[in-house]
């Protein structure tokens, strides 16, 4: 853990994949809005932190390390009230799915599905054991992808993992609803991040040709704002749903 000042906040959130991109934007928005935030990421060096943020170097694919990570966060910041599953990787090589390698498939599934599921399992058990005051909402928010439904032939392993994450969200929602823990999935469209940088020219053409009705790329802050809405409990009578944050890209148009 890299230094933080622990104060009393709206709740405590763990954001995985928080070293950059959507995860970092989410951590910053939550911290600015009254949460104390644990940022977990593989990067050896922490991004700039505020007093409300603590950084933990962690690889969620290493499921044997989940319990120790959670214990450190609880000791530093207190019981978790929000988990944001943002850690994810894409295919080692974009290309023909007939050439997809087991190495790429296993890597994507290890992080995007297996690691995410088992970390959520550990956090869910903790949330059930440590209920907060009645006025504090609890949530598990998973960053999926528009590729849960939209075919991306050059990233078959990524698409399959994100489709499975959609069902994972529904399963946790059903299991935890009676305890007052909501589960949501956010499906970003084309967002400016390191993951999309190899395909900038292609996506620029796609946006210019009308593929995104709002006629622009998305930004990490677009997704982070949605996470904040859910984490604050601003949609109180909902769970198990997904929200498309893609500028209308997910609309089927003829």
């Amino acid at each position: 853990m890299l230094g933080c000042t622990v104060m009393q906040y709206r709740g405590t959130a763990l954001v995985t994949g928080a070293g950059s991109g959507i995860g970092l934007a989410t951590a910053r928005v939550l911290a600015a809005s009254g949460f104390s935030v644990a940022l977990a990421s593989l990067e050896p060096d922490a991004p700039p932190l505020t007093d409300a943020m603590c950084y933990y170097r962690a690889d969620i694919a290493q499921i044997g390390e989940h319990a120790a990570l959670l214990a450190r966060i609880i000791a530093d910041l207190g019981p978790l009230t929000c988990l944001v599953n943002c850690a994810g990787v894409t295919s080692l090589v974009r290309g023909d799915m007939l050439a997809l390698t087991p190495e790429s498939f296993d890597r994507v599934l290890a992080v995007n599905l297996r690691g995410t599921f088992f970390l959520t399992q550990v956090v869910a058990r903790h949330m059930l054991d440590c209920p907060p005051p009645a006025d504090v909402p609890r949530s598990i928010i998973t960053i999926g992808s528009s590729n849960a439904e939209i075919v991306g032939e050059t990233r078959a392993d990524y698409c399959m993992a994100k489709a499975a994450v959609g069902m994972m969200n529904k399963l946790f929602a059903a299991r935890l609803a009676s305890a007052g823990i909501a589960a949501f999935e956010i499906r970003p469209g084309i967002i400016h991040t390191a993951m999309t940088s190899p395909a900038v020219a292609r996506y620029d053409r796609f946006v210019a040709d009308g593929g995104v009705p709002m006629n622009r790329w998305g930004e990490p802050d677009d997704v982070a704002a949605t996470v904040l809405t859910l984490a604050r409990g601003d949609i109180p009578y909902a769970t198990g749903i997904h929200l498309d944050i893609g500028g209308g890209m997910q609309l089927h148009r003829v």
Side-chain angles (χ1 to χ4, degrees):
M1 189 268 289
L2 297 178
C4 64
T5 301
V6 180
M7 301 172 64
Q8 189 63 41
Y9 289 100
R10 182 190 297 271
T12 298
L14 165 58
V15 182
T16 67
S20 62
I22 293 171
L24 180 56
T26 295
R28 287 172 171 164
V29 165
L30 291 175
S33 301
F35 286 84
S36 53
V37 183
L39 295 80
S41 184
L42 274 174
E43 284 82 353
D45 298 319
L49 302 175
T50 68
D51 286 346
M53 301 159 74
C54 299
Y55 184 78
Y56 302 81
R57 189 165 189 260
D59 179 359
I60 69 161
Q62 303 301 316
I63 62 174
E65 299 176 5
H66 289 174
L69 172 64
L70 182 60
R72 290 170 59 205
I73 294 169
I74 294 169
D76 292 333
L77 299 175
L80 287 183
T81 58
C82 177
L83 169 64
V84 183
N85 289 311
C86 194
V89 297
T90 190
S91 307
L92 286 173
V93 178
R94 293 176 183 245
D96 187 349
M97 63 181 290
L98 300 184
L100 177 65
T101 65
E103 291 77 16
S104 182
F105 184 95
D106 291 347
R107 172 178 172 269
V108 169
L109 271 291
V111 177
N112 296 8
L113 182 60
R114 186 173 184 267
T116 296
F117 174 84
F118 284 104
L119 178 62
T120 304
Q121 183 187 73
V122 168
V123 172
R125 289 172 177 166
H126 159 68
M127 286 183 171
L128 290 174
D129 289 341
C130 301
D135 61 342
V136 177
R138 292 181 292 171
S139 59
I140 293 171
I141 302 164
T142 300
I143 308 301
S145 170
S146 59
N147 284 130
E149 292 186 356
I150 298 175
V151 171
E153 294 176 67
T154 63
R155 299 190 299 162
D157 43 4
Y158 181 82
C159 292
M160 288 185 282
K162 290 302 187 179
V165 161
M167 178 53 70
M168 185 198 83
N169 176 63
K170 293 179 181 179
L171 290 164
F172 276 110
R175 175 63 179 83
L176 301 174
S178 63
I181 302 168
F184 301 100
E185 179 197 2
I186 296 174
R187 294 182 181 176
I190 299 172
I191 309 294
H192 269 133
T193 66
M195 187 179 289
T196 55
S197 61
V200 165
R202 177 175 172 240
Y203 288 148
D204 278 345
R205 290 193 300 270
F206 182 76
V207 173
D209 290 341
V212 178
M214 290 182 71
N215 198 34
R216 69 171 177 90
W217 280 69
E219 300 297 335
D221 283 342
D222 292 319
V223 182
T226 308
V227 173
L228 177 61
T229 297
L230 299 173
R232 288 189 309 207
D234 289 348
I235 309 179
Y237 195 50
T239 191
I241 62 172
H242 79 264
L243 289 86
D244 293 319
I245 308 301
M249 186 182 75
Q250 295 93 335
L251 295 170
H252 180 69
R253 295 174 290 163
V254 296

